[in-house]
Amino acid sequence: MGNIKNTYSQEFKLEIVNMYLEEGKTSYQLSKNLNLDTKMIRRWVHAFREEEITALSERRGSKTGTGKGRPRTKGLSLEEEVARLRMENAFLKKLREFQRG
C-alpha cells in the first residue's frame, strides 16, 4: 500500500486551530479524537500564529499532477472572496475574545 496524503480545507484547519487555541484542547487530544497527526496540528497552529489565516490556505509541499493545462488566470470569484473574508473575520473575532480572557 502506498502513502496516501490527505488534504484538508482551510475551514477544517481553522476549526482545529480554534479547538486548540480557544477550547484549550491539546494536539494529542485532537489527534486522538480526529485521527490526525499531532505534528500536523502543531504546524497548523504555528502557521496561524505566525501568518494568521493566509498560512492555512497555502498549498505546501510538492506539486501534484502533471502541471499540464492552462494556469488559472482569475483569482477567486467575488462570492468566494466574500465567503473567505467573512470566515476570516468571524474567526479573528473569536480569537480576540479568547485572548481578552
Side-chain angles (χ1 to χ4, degrees), residues 68-84:
K68 293 181 181 176
R70 213 174 65 175
R72 188 172 184 175
T73 57
K74 289 186 177 182
L76 298 175
S77 71
L78 291 178
E79 291 83 9
E80 290 171 326
E81 182 71 13
V82 168
R84 186 187 68 76

Side-chain angles (χ1 to χ4, degrees), residues 27 31 35-43:
S27 57
S31 161
N35 195 27
L36 296 170
D37 181 43
T38 56
K39 289 180 183 179
M40 182 171 54
I41 294 168
R42 286 189 213 121
R43 275 195 312 267

Side-chain angles (χ1 to χ4, degrees), residues 53-68:
I53 198 143
T54 56
L56 299 177
S57 63
E58 293 175 6
R59 183 76 195 266
R60 299 185 184 257
S62 61
K63 185 177 177 182
T64 58
T66 61
K68 293 181 181 176

Side-chain angles (χ1 to χ4, degrees), residues 2-49:
N3 186 9
I4 299 173
K5 291 191 176 198
N6 293 325
T7 56
Y8 300 99
S9 69
Q10 181 182 17
E11 290 173 347
F12 180 78
K13 292 175 186 179
L14 283 173
E15 187 63 34
I16 300 302
V17 169
N18 182 44
M19 284 186 237
Y20 183 91
L21 294 174
E22 282 195 35
E23 298 174 19
K25 297 201 189 266
T26 66
S27 57
Y28 176 76
Q29 289 171 324
L30 293 168
S31 161
K32 186 176 174 187
N33 293 338
L34 300 170
N35 195 27
L36 296 170
D37 181 43
T38 56
K39 289 180 183 179
M40 182 171 54
I41 294 168
R42 286 189 213 121
R43 275 195 312 267
W44 293 347
V45 171
H46 177 73
F48 181 80
R49 284 180 173 157

